Amino acid sequence: MSLLTHLLACLFGMGSWVSINGLWVELPLVVPHIPEGWYLPSYLSVLIQMANVGPLFVTLMHRFRPGALNEAAVIYAIIGLGTAASFLLAFFWKETVVVAGAPRSVALLVLTFFLATVDCTSSVTFLPFMMRLKARYLTTYYIGEGLSGLLPALVALIQGVGVVHCINSTGSFNHTLNSSDSSVTFDLRAQYQPANFSAEVFFFFLSAMMLVCLVAFLLLNYHPSVARERPSGRYTNGRKEKSERDRKWAEQKPMMDPYRPASQKRRSSFGTGSYSWTQVFYIFVILAWANALTNVVLPSVQSYSCLPYGNNTYHLSATMAAVANPLACFIAMFFPVRSLLLMGALTVTGSGVGAYIMGMAALSPCPLLVNETSGGVVIVLAWVLFILTLSYVKVIIGLILRDEGHGALVWCGAVVQLGSLLGAVTMFPVVSVYGLFSSGDPCNTKCQ
């Protein structure tokens, strides 16, 4: 294996969702300075789903005009757009414009839409591009994709985002007439600490990460040692004609899979025909379900499930969950199992753990074991196990669909976005409109 190719594939994958993941973890610093306040997360959710117009366009072009879209050119364009938007965000995120008589963060919302378009479109362009490399590098790409959530979270921890200190404040003074009895009660008040460096510096960091992704993509296209890692032995220079030949070759001659007989009869018209339409439907349903849960449904209630156990528990669960994603991909590098049965078992396990997390969020601010140390330990372990199992499922599906050809990976990215869209459509009214969840105070959760 080429260590350089692995490194480049990882850095390329890190650019897939680093911008939006970074923006989410920076919200505690951004929100106090903009007129939208804590309504901003709801606006961001809507903008991210609107940005699915990007992957929709790419998928439709692949379906009705196969080969007409220059895949490499699209990737160059979206990485360049992401780099520029992140850079401009550092200068204009606090700027407001009066719209309908009220100040609005127009620049922040527009630039966020561009970033969301970049990240959503990466799902249907980055994955198919990995078809040009040997199958083992797909797992490395998934490790990089997992790091796109972990690195911004670690930088935000160093920055001190959302660090809360509980301080005493006088709650009330009671004095009864004709009595010398009086009492003073003290309550704890959450005080957010100032950050170690500004939001502007953080956005410059995101822009630098996108620039690193661009350099990695350039080297994946042009470095001679990477050319030797192509399954066809061909060097792709990014021109449309060559890209089409590589794509057709990938569709017609997918990687030989040691788990399948060489002379297997076609069971469907999907990919190489190794799976029946029932199995293909099963794979894509699990893919949509896993992405809906991990990308939208459970993250939207993470604060409700963790904050009642304390601020440290919340930050620990968020960080460890971000670590679990690349860890699952790292495990898949050494155990690249393509079993549909294992996929189903892990999905059921992860969904069961997710149901526990959702239950604790519904019981907030007084979930089970709220006043016990074991309660915090259990909820952190639940988040780690949830992300670990379903991330491994997503890698399994990626490996399976990679064997089925370039077109299968395009549909893989489309279904990823579809699952996230369905999850957002479900959770947005539940959390933001009807307010069915109650948050716990990090300093004053009082339960019987």
Side-chain angles (χ1 to χ4, degrees), residues 91-108:
F91 296 98
F92 299 106
W93 69 273
K94 285 195 288 190
E95 300 298 323
T96 59
V97 176
V98 176
V99 178
R104 299 293 179 191
S105 304
V106 174
L108 173 63

Side-chain angles (χ1 to χ4, degrees), residues 322-338:
V323 171
N325 190 328
L327 177 61
C329 302
F330 187 74
I331 293 172
M333 180 180 289
F334 299 98
F335 301 98
V337 183
R338 291 167 172 81

Side-chain angles (χ1 to χ4, degrees), residues 156-379:
L157 280 178
I158 296 171
Q159 186 184 17
V161 171
V163 175
V164 174
H165 288 175
C166 298
I167 61 174
N168 285 325
S169 63
T170 303
S172 61
F173 178 80
N174 298 324
H175 177 75
T176 56
L177 193 62
N178 301 324
S179 172
S180 60
D181 295 334
S182 62
S183 63
V184 179
T185 62
F186 293 92
D187 293 326
L188 291 175
R189 178 169 58 87
Q191 184 180 68
Y192 288 87
Q193 301 303 298
N196 296 320
F197 54 86
S198 66
E200 287 83 356
V201 174
F202 186 84
F203 290 136
F204 283 134
F205 161 75
L206 295 183
S207 180
M209 290 299 301
M210 291 301 297
L211 195 59
V212 168
C213 175
L214 179 60
V215 173
F217 182 62
L218 279 167
L219 293 176
L220 284 173
N221 275 293
Y222 294 109
H223 200 283
S225 66
V226 176
R228 292 192 293 269
E229 298 301 319
R230 302 187 188 282
S232 63
R234 298 184 184 132
Y235 180 77
T236 303
N237 61 9
R239 290 183 301 175
K240 179 177 178 181
E241 295 81 5
K242 191 92 172 197
S243 296
E244 286 181 6
R245 288 202 300 272
D246 287 346
R247 184 188 60 77
K248 290 176 181 176
W249 181 91
E251 293 278 13
Q252 294 166 3
K253 296 184 179 180
M255 181 196 74
M256 292 301 294
D257 186 353
Y259 297 96
R260 298 182 192 140
S263 59
Q264 187 180 33
K265 183 180 177 181
R266 290 182 64 89
R267 303 173 67 184
S268 70
S269 58
F270 180 80
T272 63
S274 301
Y275 297 95
S276 67
W277 281 114
T278 302
Q279 290 174 320
V280 171
F281 180 75
Y282 166 78
I283 291 170
F284 279 128
V285 166
I286 287 184
L287 179 63
W289 174 257
N291 279 279
L293 291 185
T294 57
N295 296 349
V296 181
V297 175
L298 269 299
S300 66
V301 298
Q302 185 169 23
S303 61
Y304 300 105
S305 67
C306 298
L307 272 180
Y309 297 102
N311 193 63
N312 289 335
T313 300
Y314 172 67
H315 283 285
L316 184 61
S317 68
T319 305
M320 293 305 295
V323 171
N325 190 328
L327 177 61
C329 302
F330 187 74
I331 293 172
M333 180 180 289
F334 299 98
F335 301 98
V337 183
R338 291 167 172 81
S339 168
L340 298 185
L341 184 61
L342 177 63
M343 183 201 310
L346 290 177
T347 303
V348 171
T349 301
S351 300
V353 176
Y356 172 81
I357 295 172
M358 183 64 74
M360 296 305 99
L363 292 174
S364 178
C366 295
L368 299 178
L369 303 174
V370 66
N371 296 317
E372 304 291 335
T373 303
S374 58
V377 173
V378 170
I379 198 67

Side-chain angles (χ1 to χ4, degrees), residues 10 13-18 21 139-153 321-329 387 391 394-395:
C10 182
M14 281 171 54
S16 58
W17 280 92
V18 69
N21 287 335
T139 307
T140 311
Y141 167 84
Y142 274 115
I143 293 176
E145 192 176 76
L147 290 175
S148 73
L150 175 61
L151 275 185
V323 171
N325 190 328
L327 177 61
C329 302
I387 296 295
S391 294
K394 291 190 283 187
V395 177

